[in-house]
Amino acid sequence: MSHKDILAQLKRVHFFEDLKRGELNAVVHLVNRRHFKEGEIVCEQGRLGHSMYVVESGELTVHHVDSQGVEHQVGVLNSGDYFGETSLLLGEPRDATVRAAQDTTLLHISRDDFQPLLDEQPSLLDHLN
């Protein structure tokens, strides 16, 4: 996928919609593509999160274990959906488990890569939704 294709996908993500073109271009350079096979876990509820994902293709299911220990499917994510923005910014524990319902390709941005960009351009944080 080219820089232009990633840029087009990120422009459609609500979290990034208020970024200026230069800011969004800087984010594009941090994106890696990750592939998950059907049934693979992308992230687990309760574990510290260090990244954000945008669904490029495929489908994921979102599961939450309640206080009684019962797991419930609480959502489905498809192309263009995103998750993990709180983990990207704050490194907080994941509030759900996300599992690939079919072979899936995700655009991945890690906190380790994103934090130096925020340090360099603090105004970026003001433009994130």
Side-chain angles (χ1 to χ4, degrees):
M1 173 177 263
S2 72
H3 174 89
K4 186 188 269 187
D5 292 334
I6 294 172
L7 181 64
Q9 284 201 11
L10 293 186
K11 279 183 178 180
R12 292 189 299 264
V13 173
H14 175 71
F15 183 69
F16 296 121
E17 73 183 2
D18 290 337
L19 292 185
K20 297 175 184 168
R21 185 169 179 85
E23 293 170 333
L24 192 56
N25 275 318
V27 173
V28 167
H29 291 289
L30 306 178
V31 173
N32 294 299
R33 181 180 278 116
R34 304 228 9 228
H35 303 281
F36 292 86
K37 297 279 185 197
E38 181 180 343
E40 275 190 275
I41 293 176
V42 177
C43 60
E44 282 188 83
Q45 181 178 339
R47 293 209 174 193
L48 281 182
H50 301 286
S51 53
M52 175 184 176
Y53 297 93
V54 178
V55 182
E56 182 177 33
S57 65
E59 183 176 278
L60 303 134
T61 54
V62 182
H63 304 266
H64 180 79
V65 177
D66 66 22
S67 58
Q68 280 73 42
V70 178
E71 182 178 294
H72 303 276
Q73 182 175 321
V74 295
V76 175
L77 300 168
N78 294 291
S79 182
D81 291 331
Y82 64 96
F83 61 98
E85 62 277 14
T86 302
S87 293
L88 179 68
L89 296 175
L90 304 174
E92 302 237 330
R94 303 283 186 180
D95 56 4
T97 296
V98 178
R99 186 177 296 120
Q102 59 185 242
D103 291 354
T104 300
T105 301
L106 302 175
L107 302 179
H108 171 260
I109 304 169
S110 80
R111 180 171 166 75
D112 290 342
D113 293 337
F114 195 69
Q115 190 58 52
L117 180 61
L118 284 179
D119 294 343
E120 182 181 299
Q121 299 181 37
S123 64
L124 183 71
L125 193 55
D126 296 333
H127 299 133
L128 294 172
N129 288 315

